[in-house]
């Protein structure tokens, strides 16, 4: 199973969601998660530790896994990128002290 591509794994997961497939997909997607985290500017705030942002990113990845539909023709990496990034930004907005208009 480890020699399958991420796209093949997610298509298998779409047909039969199993915990072992979920774990394999998360493991194969970690470079994407770290890439996105490296591109987002982190505020100097105690709640914005890298571990917290990584957790938000993984939540976005899991959400992408659960809502992805390969029949629509999108690649999973593209779909997951926006879900992961959005989840991180949502988390940063949630912990922000200032309203968006002041930011």
């Amino acid at each position: 199973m480890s020699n399958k591509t991420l796209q093949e794994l997610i298509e298998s997961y779409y047909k039969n969601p199993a915990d072992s497939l979920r774990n394999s997909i998360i493991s194969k997607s970690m470079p994407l998660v770290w890439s996105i985290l490296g591109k987002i500017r982190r505020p100097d705030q105690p709640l914005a530790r890298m571990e917290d942002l990584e957790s938000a990113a993984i939540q976005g990845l899991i959400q992408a896994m659960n809502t992805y539909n390969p029949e629509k023709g999108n690649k999973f990496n593209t779909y997951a990128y926006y879900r992961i990034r959005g989840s991180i930004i949502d988390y940063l907005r949630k912990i922000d002290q200032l309203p968006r208009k002041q930011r």
Side-chain angles (χ1 to χ4, degrees):
M1 187 179 310
S2 63
N3 58 356
K4 286 186 173 183
T5 65
L6 179 59
Q7 190 66 34
E8 291 169 339
L9 286 172
I10 198 67
E11 288 174 7
S12 297
Y13 182 78
Y14 180 74
K15 293 174 187 167
N16 182 21
D19 288 340
S20 61
L21 281 173
R22 177 193 300 253
N23 294 337
S24 296
I25 292 167
I26 291 172
S27 296
K28 281 212 181 243
S29 299
M30 288 312 291
L32 175 64
V33 167
W34 294 324
S35 171
I36 296 167
L37 285 171
K39 295 175 184 175
I40 292 182
R41 190 177 72 77
R42 216 167 28 113
D44 187 25
Q45 184 179 22
L47 292 175
R49 294 187 323 245
M50 187 54 82
E51 296 84 13
D52 297 327
L53 297 179
E54 188 175 321
S55 176
I58 292 172
Q59 287 177 350
L61 173 63
I62 292 171
Q63 183 183 30
M65 288 170 39
N66 292 334
T67 58
Y68 177 72
N69 184 350
E71 295 169 359
K72 291 189 176 184
N74 311 13
K75 290 210 173 221
F76 179 71
N77 268 353
T78 306
Y79 183 77
Y81 179 90
Y82 292 105
R83 288 287 189 171
I84 294 166
R85 186 175 181 278
S87 182
I88 295 167
I89 291 171
D90 286 346
Y91 175 75
L92 289 173
R93 285 182 183 149
K94 187 172 106 180
I95 65 169
D96 197 1
Q97 300 286 327
L98 293 175
R100 285 177 73 181
K101 288 186 178 190
Q102 286 184 331
R103 187 68 56 193

